[in-house]
């Protein structure tokens, strides 16, 4: 593993020297070059899990690479999203509709990511409902691509008492509704 990481770092330095002219002139290396270098560092993919220790370890492992490469904040967010596979990819496809991908920072990505993969009291029935709802939206393009339709279907699927509490808060977006419902259940 260390030999692979060392080989990746060596390749990074070779690539870095090749891009130094672009950096010296103020031009930014191509996004593809940044991603190619990042992938050579052999980051772990993330397929989703309910184990918070695995999730935290994944975040820490990619942040080590980000720090080493001195990536810009938006490049960090892009690279992190490219590593999602399986259930995490389905979740991100849905979650990405509630953020501006052009201006998404790494901290913004982590905020959305943490709201999905961490809860205060471990997984809850509402957190499970949200996770399953997001997975299901992937297979219903009308709902996945229409924010109003998604919000309406989400609200209709909630237990009556939770639906009332969320409606009173008047959420304007699906992300806000999810945040509110998780806080309501916790209360």
């Amino acid at each position: 593993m260390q030999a692979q990481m060392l080989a990746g770092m060596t390749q990074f330095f070779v690539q870095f020297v090749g891009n130094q002219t672009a950096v010296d002139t103020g031009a930014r290396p191509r996004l593809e070059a940044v991603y190619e270098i990042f992938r050579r560092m052999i980051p772990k993919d993330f397929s989703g899990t309910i184990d918070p220790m695995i999730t935290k370890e994944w975040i820490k492992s990619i942040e080590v690479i980000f720090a080493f490469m001195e990536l810009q904040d938006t490049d960090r967010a892009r690279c992190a999203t490219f590593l999602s596979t399986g259930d995490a990819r389905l979740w991100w496809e849905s979650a990405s509709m509630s953020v501006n991908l052009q201006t998404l920072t790494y901290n913004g990505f982590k905020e959305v990511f943490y709201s999905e993969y961490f809860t205060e009291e471990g997984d809850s029935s509402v957190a499970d409902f949200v996770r399953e709802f997001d997975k299901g939206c992937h297979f219903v393009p009308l709902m996945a691509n229409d924010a109003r339709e998604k919000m309406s279907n989400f609200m209709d699927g909630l237990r009556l008492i939770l639906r009332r509490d969320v409606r009173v808060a008047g959420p304007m977006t699906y992300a806000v509704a999810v945040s509110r419902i998780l806080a309501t259940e916790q209360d």
Side-chain angles (χ1 to χ4, degrees):
M1 182 76 152
Q2 289 176 339
Q4 288 178 336
M5 186 131 176
L6 197 52
M9 288 177 181
T10 303
Q11 290 175 350
F12 169 76
F13 285 123
V14 169
Q15 183 70 33
F16 179 76
V17 169
N19 286 330
Q20 190 59 43
T21 305
V23 172
D24 291 342
T25 62
R28 196 168 150 223
R30 293 183 359 253
L31 180 59
E32 297 85 20
V34 170
Y35 181 67
E36 288 169 9
I37 296 166
F38 175 71
R39 286 304 281 184
R40 285 188 211 133
M41 298 291 169
I42 312 170
K44 295 178 186 176
D45 288 337
F46 183 77
S47 60
T49 180
I50 60 171
D51 186 339
M53 296 306 289
I54 292 172
T55 303
K56 285 180 184 177
E57 178 55 36
W58 178 74
I59 288 288
K60 287 179 182 180
S61 73
I62 64 173
E63 286 178 345
V64 167
I65 297 170
F66 294 159
F68 176 78
M69 290 181 63
E70 298 179 347
L71 286 181
Q72 294 181 5
D73 197 47
T74 54
D75 289 338
R76 289 175 183 218
R78 287 185 185 113
C79 286
T81 62
F82 279 123
L83 295 175
S84 349
T85 62
D87 286 346
R89 170 62 64 197
L90 292 175
W91 161 77
W92 178 246
E93 286 175 2
S94 177
S96 66
M97 294 181 167
S98 66
V99 297
N100 181 343
L101 296 175
Q102 301 301 319
T103 60
L104 180 66
T105 63
Y106 181 62
N107 283 336
F109 167 77
K110 283 197 319 187
E111 187 177 309
V112 174
F113 179 81
Y114 285 159
S115 72
E116 172 65 15
Y117 288 101
F118 292 101
T119 60
E120 292 293 320
E121 299 293 323
D123 279 346
S124 65
S125 60
V126 171
D128 290 340
F129 169 73
V130 171
R131 196 171 288 117
E132 293 303 315
F133 180 80
D134 282 338
K135 284 182 195 175
C137 285
H138 177 75
F139 299 103
V140 184
L142 170 67
M143 209 177 351
N145 297 328
D146 184 343
R148 210 174 286 151
E149 186 70 25
K150 185 174 183 177
M151 176 82 147
S152 174
N153 280 283
F154 175 73
M155 295 297 285
D156 289 346
L158 296 174
R159 291 188 310 254
L160 288 176
I161 188 110
L162 294 174
R163 185 181 321 154
R164 184 198 67 207
D165 288 350
V166 172
R167 282 208 172 118
V168 167
M172 299 301 284
T173 66
Y174 172 71
V176 171
V178 168
S179 176
R180 180 66 189 139
I181 193 66
L182 291 172
T184 298
E185 184 188 44
Q186 192 175 33
D187 291 347

